[in-house]
Amino acid sequence: MRRFTGLMAALLMLGGVAYAGDAPRLPALKLDPARVAVAGLSSGGYMATQVQMTYPEWFPSAAIVAGGPFGCAGGRLDLALSTCMKGVPAPDVAALAAKAKERSAKGEIGALKDLAHGRVYLLHGKDDALVSPAVAEAGARFYEALRDGDPALKALVVNDDGARAFAHNLPIAATGDDCDKSVSPYLGHCGFDAAGEIFHQLFGKAPRNAGEAKGELRRFNQDAYRPDGADAFLASTGYVYLPPACLGGKRCGLLVAFHGCKQNADAVGEAFVKDAGFNRWADAYDVAVLYPQTRASTAPMNPQACWDWWGYSGDNYDSRQGVQLRWLVGAVNAMGLSH
């Protein structure tokens, strides 16, 4: 039996497979709460707006790539696939903004006043055939409706960047022939450094130029942060990138970067966490990057390993009781972010 166990362990190591129990917990850092933000692509973009709206006191700034307005699906998969992806019928921005205000007043999501000094960067390509540009535009109109409807939010910065020609992907600085396609690993070689622009929009001018990433990309045990032991429908292992300054004990910022559907590590390996471009800019800004990972499942039905933006994890998925949102709170709290 011992020989069999040892052989299996050796085979698993050769195959690059590791149990979650073999991955360490997240490191505790000296985090600067004034430099914390969230970003995401596609389902990760919807997740980013959910994080921002649910916990604006922690995440007042967000970058949303190819995503739509908060609350769009309303817990309905049919709406997610039609209104919130194809834009038919179009999202009712006024109704969604009014609903967000109502939910905030009830305490289901965060206090909208905490968005007052936040920044929202909405990036989407003109050639996106999966999430209609009209849906992404509705995302921008949603934030503008919140800002324009409340004098306390007049300083909220909303930057709608929708004039660039690319498909349903995250553009990267390198050039190639897939910018107008939506193909795995969904990193379009467009000659546009979306990660650099996201850092600039969320954290301001770069303190120094970005070079090759010189920090550490580590795996961590995501199961260690299950809220009250509940299944958050995530993979066992996630990733975190630590710039040299953060490793050296310097006070650092934090960016949570959500992958899109079919862009999780089980599907694309480490392409997103290594090649999206965030890590080298993280070095320039002294900002750690947390890369949570979902998992595909048939029960609940989530075969493409999307983040939950329509309710597969429960009716409260986009509230402070949402299991994936509570998981994130536990993870960033472990890294040193608290309020």
PDB file of all heavy atoms in Angstrom, residues 98 109 218 308:
ATOM      1  N   ALA A  98     -31.791  52.609  -9.521  1.00  0.00           N
ATOM      2  CA  ALA A  98     -32.769  52.770  -8.439  1.00  0.00           C
ATOM      3  C   ALA A  98     -32.753  51.549  -7.526  1.00  0.00           C
ATOM      4  O   ALA A  98     -32.845  51.681  -6.292  1.00  0.00           O
ATOM      5  CB  ALA A  98     -34.158  52.987  -9.026  1.00  0.00           C
ATOM      6  N   ILE A 109     -26.206  45.605   0.100  1.00  0.00           N
ATOM      7  CA  ILE A 109     -24.905  45.940  -0.475  1.00  0.00           C
ATOM      8  C   ILE A 109     -24.333  47.096   0.347  1.00  0.00           C
ATOM      9  O   ILE A 109     -24.913  47.505   1.347  1.00  0.00           O
ATOM     10  CB  ILE A 109     -25.016  46.296  -1.971  1.00  0.00           C
ATOM     11  CG1 ILE A 109     -25.896  47.529  -2.186  1.00  0.00           C
ATOM     12  CG2 ILE A 109     -25.562  45.109  -2.753  1.00  0.00           C
ATOM     13  CD1 ILE A 109     -25.940  48.003  -3.642  1.00  0.00           C
ATOM     14  N   ARG A 218       2.816  32.924  -6.469  1.00  0.00           N
ATOM     15  CA  ARG A 218       2.642  31.799  -5.560  1.00  0.00           C
ATOM     16  C   ARG A 218       1.241  31.206  -5.676  1.00  0.00           C
ATOM     17  O   ARG A 218       0.278  31.909  -5.955  1.00  0.00           O
ATOM     18  CB  ARG A 218       2.849  32.240  -4.102  1.00  0.00           C
ATOM     19  CG  ARG A 218       4.229  32.770  -3.786  1.00  0.00           C
ATOM     20  CD  ARG A 218       4.297  33.163  -2.319  1.00  0.00           C
ATOM     21  NE  ARG A 218       5.596  33.708  -1.957  1.00  0.00           N
ATOM     22  CZ  ARG A 218       5.901  34.166  -0.729  1.00  0.00           C
ATOM     23  NH1 ARG A 218       4.963  34.132   0.225  1.00  0.00           N
ATOM     24  NH2 ARG A 218       7.094  34.650  -0.473  1.00  0.00           N
ATOM     25  N   ASP A 308     -19.899  33.909 -10.415  1.00  0.00           N
ATOM     26  CA  ASP A 308     -21.349  33.921 -10.279  1.00  0.00           C
ATOM     27  C   ASP A 308     -21.897  35.339 -10.381  1.00  0.00           C
ATOM     28  O   ASP A 308     -21.827  36.115  -9.427  1.00  0.00           O
ATOM     29  CB  ASP A 308     -21.775  33.294  -8.946  1.00  0.00           C
ATOM     30  CG  ASP A 308     -23.291  33.135  -8.881  1.00  0.00           C
ATOM     31  OD1 ASP A 308     -23.961  33.383  -9.904  1.00  0.00           O
ATOM     32  OD2 ASP A 308     -23.805  32.780  -7.811  1.00  0.00           O
TER      33      ASP A 308
END
